[in-house]
Amino acid sequence: MNFANELINWYQKNKRSLPWRNTKKPYKIWLSEIILQQTRVDQGKSYYLKFEKEFPTVSSLAKADEQKVLNMWQGLGYYSRARNLKKAADQVISDFNGVFPTDYKKLLKLKGVGKYTAAAVASFSKNERVPVVDGNVYRVISRYLNIDEPINTPKSYKIFSEAALELMENCRPDEFNQAIMEFGALHCTPTNPKCNECPLSYNCTALALNIVKDLPVKKKKSKVKERFFNFIITNNSSGFAIEKRDQKGIWQNLYQFPMIETSNHKHEFSELKKLIETDDRFENHKVRQVTQIGSDRKHLLSHQRIWARFYEVEFDEETNNQKKLVRTKSLEHYPIPRLIERFVEEEAPHYLK
């Protein structure tokens, strides 16, 4: 039995029951793929069901306010995915007359849709003969064929997609693509792969050469950037202050407590007090007291490590700068980063609960 047949046979016996596998509708397949980017299946499943219920069609998603989409996305991270989700839905309405595309090349025109997502939607919804290449597929193929090209280089996608297409042979693209991804997720795992009970072991080059643990190869990543955030929490009769992150970068269009970024966290309270008093968001009011809430918090992103401190700040007089800050008595209707959500859940002052 060849690679594809062995793989599909394994898949039929071992596949997980997942809600997005029960449909051929391209919109729902696309929705699941966007949610599952950078997200574990067990976490993404609940979000998929929530989005599917709230936005059962692409038109209902297109009609939604971006802030509502971001609010529902809260906790998943990588918020550009949520913004692109909304933009792509708008594109389907404006560019495709509301009909979600199933053609690989047309799918690539949608915001936030790359080669992997386009291949997944095209193959799963209409059996277009295009291979999916994600982390699981890279791992399976690199081991089976002993390909040592680093998987995070520009040319790796072409090498591995051509290999996947050849291995696909004459079987159904949707079955093959689902099978190879599931095989990588459950069987040919990054650590402790089940080589002793592998249906492909008889022809696996990495196993024969005893180099399974060495594949796939990754090019060393660039240095992670360290950032130091100081969040300022104020409270008065009109509530506490928050601000919208309008600038590009992390957490775009999400809300946070007013934040002052510093080059490190070695400053004294007197230095922070001066930074706050000279910040026009606080109307140049004098600070009466600064109190750090809890300990430093670390938040990891793909290329950044954020060190966050939260301070409760009392001013000599009330600050109500409506030009730059928003006053609210509840965060319920505002999309916020997971870092702030966890802080509020764990150790925020009572008035933030």
Side-chain angles (χ1 to χ4, degrees):
M1 195 178 289
N2 63 22
F3 177 92
N5 290 334
E6 287 279 17
L7 197 65
I8 292 170
N9 185 51
W10 174 92
Y11 175 70
Q12 295 300 337
K13 296 175 182 177
N14 297 280
K15 65 180 177 180
R16 290 168 290 183
S17 177
L18 300 172
W20 47 85
R21 286 182 175 160
N22 301 323
T23 182
K24 287 288 185 181
K25 293 181 179 179
Y27 165 68
K28 292 187 176 182
I29 295 169
W30 163 78
L31 183 61
S32 72
E33 292 297 337
I34 300 299
I35 289 173
L36 291 174
Q37 290 173 6
Q38 307 292 336
T39 302
R40 301 184 315 275
V41 168
D42 55 350
Q43 182 188 18
K45 185 177 178 180
S46 62
Y47 280 86
Y48 170 79
L49 294 172
K50 180 172 65 172
F51 269 81
E52 183 190 36
K53 182 178 180 180
E54 186 69 28
F55 308 118
T57 63
V58 68
S59 60
S60 62
L61 177 57
K63 291 174 184 175
D65 181 75
E66 185 188 81
Q67 185 166 315
K68 181 177 182 180
V69 175
L70 287 169
N71 213 22
M72 288 181 63
W73 193 271
Q74 191 168 302
L76 274 181
Y78 299 93
Y79 286 88
S80 60
R81 292 183 293 163
R83 290 189 290 271
N84 288 338
L85 194 77
K86 175 68 171 67
K87 290 174 183 176
D90 294 340
Q91 279 182 274
V92 172
I93 302 303
S94 62
D95 300 348
F96 296 98
N97 297 317
V99 179
F100 208 96
T102 58
D103 179 79
Y104 175 76
K105 290 184 179 179
K106 289 180 180 178
L107 285 160
L108 285 173
K109 296 178 181 179
L110 297 180
K111 189 73 174 178
V113 172
K115 293 176 181 178
Y116 161 75
T117 303
V121 177
S123 64
F124 300 161
S125 65
K126 73 160 193 175
N127 255 321
E128 185 171 347
R129 196 171 184 75
V130 283
V132 294
V133 181
D134 69 349
N136 292 314
V137 176
Y138 276 122
R139 185 165 56 257
V140 173
I141 292 178
S142 68
R143 289 172 174 173
Y144 188 74
L145 298 177
N146 186 23
I147 300 177
D148 59 3
E149 172 66 31
I151 62 174
N152 52 347
T153 60
K155 63 180 180 179
S156 64
Y157 186 89
K158 185 174 186 295
I159 293 171
F160 281 86
S161 61
E162 287 177 353
L165 195 59
E166 188 173 337
L167 290 169
M168 189 185 292
E169 295 187 302
N170 296 318
C171 63
R172 288 171 57 93
D174 60 341
E175 284 188 329
F176 178 87
N177 284 337
Q178 290 277 18
I180 195 169
M181 288 194 299
E182 191 79 333
F183 189 75
L186 302 182
H187 197 96
C188 193
T189 51
T191 57
N192 301 317
K194 302 172 184 177
C195 296
N196 291 336
E197 50 187 278
C198 180
L200 304 172
S201 62
Y202 68 95
N203 215 17
C204 177
T205 311
L207 183 60
L209 297 174
N210 195 27
I211 56 172
V212 171
K213 65 180 181 180
D214 300 323
L215 295 169
V217 175
K218 281 189 177 180
K219 189 177 180 181
K220 195 172 181 180
K221 289 184 177 180
S222 55
K223 188 176 179 181
V224 173
K225 183 180 180 181
E226 303 267 358
R227 300 182 72 180
F228 299 85
F229 290 179
N230 302 277
F231 291 103
I232 310 302
I233 301 173
T234 64
N235 186 41
N236 59 35
S237 58
S238 59
F240 51 89
I242 58 175
E243 63 184 355
K244 187 176 184 180
R245 289 182 66 93
D246 291 321
Q247 69 272 30
K248 289 187 177 180
I250 64 168
W251 304 335
Q252 185 181 4
N253 293 341
L254 300 189
Y255 287 80
Q256 64 183 16
F257 303 116
M259 188 270 289
I260 297 174
E261 185 170 359
T262 50
S263 58
N264 55 56
H265 272 160
K266 296 178 181 178
H267 52 259
E268 301 290 337
F269 276 11
S270 58
E271 296 174 81
L272 181 62
K273 180 174 176 288
K274 184 176 180 181
L275 287 173
I276 296 169
E277 289 179 339
T278 55
D279 192 311
D280 62 357
R281 288 174 295 178
F282 303 109
E283 302 171 323
N284 298 311
H285 288 338
K286 292 293 181 182
V287 172
R288 182 187 303 133
Q289 185 172 338
V290 178
T291 306
Q292 183 174 345
I293 305 170
S295 57
D296 292 6
R297 303 178 78 90
K298 181 171 71 171
H299 188 70
L300 298 176
L301 300 173
S302 56
H303 299 293
Q304 298 183 39
R305 184 181 294 113
I306 294 171
W307 297 94
R309 285 182 180 175
F310 291 83
Y311 297 95
E312 191 167 20
V313 178
E314 295 180 30
F315 291 91
D316 284 341
E317 48 189 312
E318 290 196 352
T319 62
N320 291 286
N321 191 336
Q322 295 300 314
K323 293 180 181 179
K324 293 179 180 290
L325 302 177
V326 177
R327 282 280 167 184
T328 182
K329 293 187 177 181
S330 173
L331 288 169
E332 182 180 359
H333 300 297
Y334 294 91
I336 58 177
R338 178 59 179 155
L339 169 65
I340 291 177
E341 182 184 24
R342 288 179 61 189
F343 165 75
V344 172
E345 290 172 352
E346 295 169 8
E347 55 184 345
H350 67 88
Y351 53 80
L352 296 178
K353 302 292 187 181

